[in-house]
Amino acid sequence: MKLVVMHYLRSLRERDELDAILPDLLAESGFEVLTRPRRGTRQAGVDVAAVGPNPDRDGTRSLFLFTIKSGDLTREHWDTGQQAVRPSLNEVLDDYIPNRIPPHFADLPVVICVCMGGEMREDVRAQWSGYCRKNERAGIHFAEWNGDRLSDLILSGMLRAELIESENRGLFQKALAMLDQPEVAYRHFRHLLNVIFTEPKNQTERTRQLRKAYLCLWILFVWARDADNLEAAYRASELVLLRSWPHCDSTRLRKGATQHERLAHFDQVLQLHFIIAHLLLVEKIGPFADKRYALSMAVNSRNAVDINIALFEALGRLSLHGLWLDAISAGEDESFAQAMSERADKVLNIAIGMLNANPTLAVPVRDDFTIELALFMRLAAVRGRLSNVADYIRSMSDHLCYGLRARRHYPTPTTEYRDVLSHPRDRSDACFEEHTRAGILYTFVLAWLAMIGDQERAEQLRSTLLEYAPHMTHQIWIPDARTDEVFWDGDRDHGVSVPGLPLNDSLEAVFSLLNRVMKEYPLDERISAVRNHLTPIFLMACRHYRMPVPPHVWRGQKRSSPDSTVSDQGVPDTEMQQS
């Protein structure tokens, strides 16, 4: 296990990786973390400052000042370059120690630590030893924290015996070993999280569980990045984010140190998810999204169903990533908000390019792909780009009408792979009625047609449904009072189904019922994430656990203001779209 952890540490980069986990390692080992790495501010050579026991001096309480380097420390990194070690150490001695130590820590011994994920090479050790002898004096000492020492911290602190011993250790190692089989790796990692998130004795134990999950995700991600296969890491990052949320929700925690610590932890997990999502979706998929059939060919299957499933999965992930970027672009920092807004538009452009280059996305093979479509339409709406995707919805409506009339290429409510692969088995009445007994997609498409103002196609789709599938039950799902307590762990036994939408009457009757349901069951009263303006994590739970997206989020504004939530938004009436 130590070799696994050491390989992970050696692969970490300095910025946003090694410096992201070191504070958690220190906190778990009994240190009081004073400062964390920040961008845009002078740090005077100190990336992390902490107070804790010095194991090299009989546990004496000391002030530790860490200068962090990634990988191995070589001669090249010692005295040259923008991030060289020696100039950083000089800044610590000349600036940080005389001017920046808080007065109540001024009497503590100071330990200046060079921290690296790898090891200090022999070609630089002589310079390091000479520097230490020259600058060590009463109250100021030097220390080397390499990958071996950090591994011991991890294994003795954040990954204690109850996680890494026996079969639980095997779960983690199997997840790492099976990264080339993402579904298998994900299954082992999910089981590992179930072991980690047992009922804690107290809030401190819960915080330790959250840190363990976060570190395990980091290790999985680094190994996946080295293997050039981020699929399992992406799915695992969603799972860790969802499992962490209820324990980091500020509305469930008393104000104080624990709440502050949990919010900071959630931000770290979210940042790691963004890193993984960017690498997979923007850097890996993005360059090929608008190339004709490029992503379809990349699925490496001759079966159209495999291509359809893979591309809708990518569309949902892209849309969700764009929604996250849009949500955090509402911050007060104008330059940061502008950068996030531009990144959200870039992600939307990738998704639109994917639609244009891969015609299979006009015909969803499964009814539950409504989830991915709802996320995409939501992103287009909040970015003010509905006009750019109007033709896509029109094309989908035409394909759905044709599929119902011809009893071919219409979506099935089943999600079992073998059944989807053989759908439809034949064009018999029995087969057709079995696979059109209920659905959520058609109601969504009707609402989207109304949103883009295409009343003619909406009526055409409605009449086709009434003529060729009068037996179909059209329904929606909305959260109930239990949803916010159990959804994040994957429980699907919650929520309220609203079946029997009055399609026989008129489109106006359907939309009137939807608006009444949304008014009577406001989303922000049932989901704390929506109240906290973190709607994307609720949408992530819908997509990850395959639950329908509630109608409250079918339609969005250019961006939700801090004083509004998606529950303020309704399905448009036809007359409003015509005006």
Side-chain angles (χ1 to χ4, degrees), residues 1 5 154-155 157-173 188-198 205 208-217 219:
M1 191 67 191
V5 177
I154 291 173
L155 294 174
M158 299 183 75
L159 298 180
R160 295 174 184 233
E162 63 265 22
L163 174 59
I164 63 169
E165 291 298 329
S166 187
E167 62 184 40
N168 301 332
R169 179 193 297 174
L171 289 172
F172 193 28
Q173 291 172 333
H188 288 305
F189 191 84
R190 183 180 60 199
H191 192 177
L192 178 67
L193 289 188
N194 291 337
V195 172
I196 292 175
F197 285 109
T198 54
E205 179 65 23
R208 182 176 291 115
Q209 293 174 353
L210 292 167
R211 287 175 179 156
K212 286 178 182 177
Y214 173 59
L215 184 65
C216 287
L217 177 60
I219 296 174

Side-chain angles (χ1 to χ4, degrees), residues 20-21 24 53 56 142 196 278 381 397 429:
I21 70 155
D24 280 341
D56 299 329
F142 291 84
I196 292 175
H278 181 80
S397 176
D429 291 344

Side-chain angles (χ1 to χ4, degrees), residues 8 20-33 36 154 157-160 163 172 189 193 196-197 203-219 240 243-244 247-248 257-258 260-266 268-269 272:
Y8 150 71
I21 70 155
L22 181 61
D24 280 341
L25 288 178
L26 295 171
E28 188 63 24
S29 301
F31 286 74
E32 178 188 353
V33 178
R36 293 172 179 264
I154 291 173
M158 299 183 75
L159 298 180
R160 295 174 184 233
L163 174 59
F172 193 28
F189 191 84
L193 289 188
I196 292 175
F197 285 109
Q203 291 296 333
T204 302
E205 179 65 23
R206 179 65 79 188
T207 301
R208 182 176 291 115
Q209 293 174 353
L210 292 167
R211 287 175 179 156
K212 286 178 182 177
Y214 173 59
L215 184 65
C216 287
L217 177 60
W218 259 114
I219 296 174
V240 172
R243 295 295 297 269
S244 300
H247 311 301
C248 302
T258 299
H260 179 76
E261 189 176 46
R262 297 284 181 85
L263 290 175
H265 170 82
F266 183 78
Q268 289 175 325
V269 179
L272 177 53

Side-chain angles (χ1 to χ4, degrees), residues 106-311:
D107 295 333
L108 293 179
V110 175
V111 182
I112 302 173
C113 298
V114 175
C115 180
M116 67 211 79
E119 61 183 18
M120 185 177 293
R121 296 281 183 85
E122 289 302 318
D123 59 357
V124 75
R125 186 165 294 280
Q127 287 93 325
W128 161 250
S129 299
Y131 187 90
C132 293
R133 285 193 298 270
K134 179 181 178 181
N135 293 284
E136 246 186 22
R137 51 185 180 268
I140 297 180
H141 311 285
F142 291 84
E144 170 194 344
W145 285 35
N146 55 25
D148 185 72
R149 185 162 189 168
L150 292 179
S151 298
D152 288 336
L153 273 181
I154 291 173
L155 294 174
S156 63
M158 299 183 75
L159 298 180
R160 295 174 184 233
E162 63 265 22
L163 174 59
I164 63 169
E165 291 298 329
S166 187
E167 62 184 40
N168 301 332
R169 179 193 297 174
L171 289 172
F172 193 28
Q173 291 172 333
K174 288 175 184 176
L176 297 176
M178 298 302 293
L179 285 171
D180 59 337
Q181 298 291 328
E183 180 62 37
V184 179
Y186 170 78
R187 189 164 63 244
H188 288 305
F189 191 84
R190 183 180 60 199
H191 192 177
L192 178 67
L193 289 188
N194 291 337
V195 172
I196 292 175
F197 285 109
T198 54
E199 191 62 33
K201 298 176 183 178
N202 49 50
Q203 291 296 333
T204 302
E205 179 65 23
R206 179 65 79 188
T207 301
R208 182 176 291 115
Q209 293 174 353
L210 292 167
R211 287 175 179 156
K212 286 178 182 177
Y214 173 59
L215 184 65
C216 287
L217 177 60
W218 259 114
I219 296 174
L220 184 79
F221 161 56
V222 171
W223 277 61
R225 183 175 62 188
D226 289 349
D228 197 27
N229 190 337
L230 292 169
E231 174 67 20
Y234 178 87
R235 295 183 62 186
S237 72
E238 284 194 339
L239 189 60
V240 172
L241 200 59
L242 294 173
R243 295 295 297 269
S244 300
W245 165 249
H247 311 301
C248 302
D249 181 0
S250 59
T251 62
R252 305 174 197 235
L253 298 168
R254 293 181 180 178
K255 290 185 177 180
T258 299
Q259 184 193 66
H260 179 76
E261 189 176 46
R262 297 284 181 85
L263 290 175
H265 170 82
F266 183 78
D267 183 63
Q268 289 175 325
V269 179
L270 185 60
Q271 290 301 322
L272 177 53
H273 172 72
F274 285 166
I275 291 171
I276 299 171
H278 181 80
L279 288 176
L280 177 62
L281 303 174
V282 179
E283 294 192 8
K284 197 164 190 177
I285 293 178
F288 306 99
D290 59 351
K291 306 295 189 294
R292 193 73 168 171
Y293 301 116
L295 295 183
S296 296
M297 293 293 292
V299 177
N300 197 25
S301 173
R302 296 181 180 181
N303 194 295
V305 170
D306 291 334
I307 296 172
N308 195 274
I309 292 173
L311 291 186

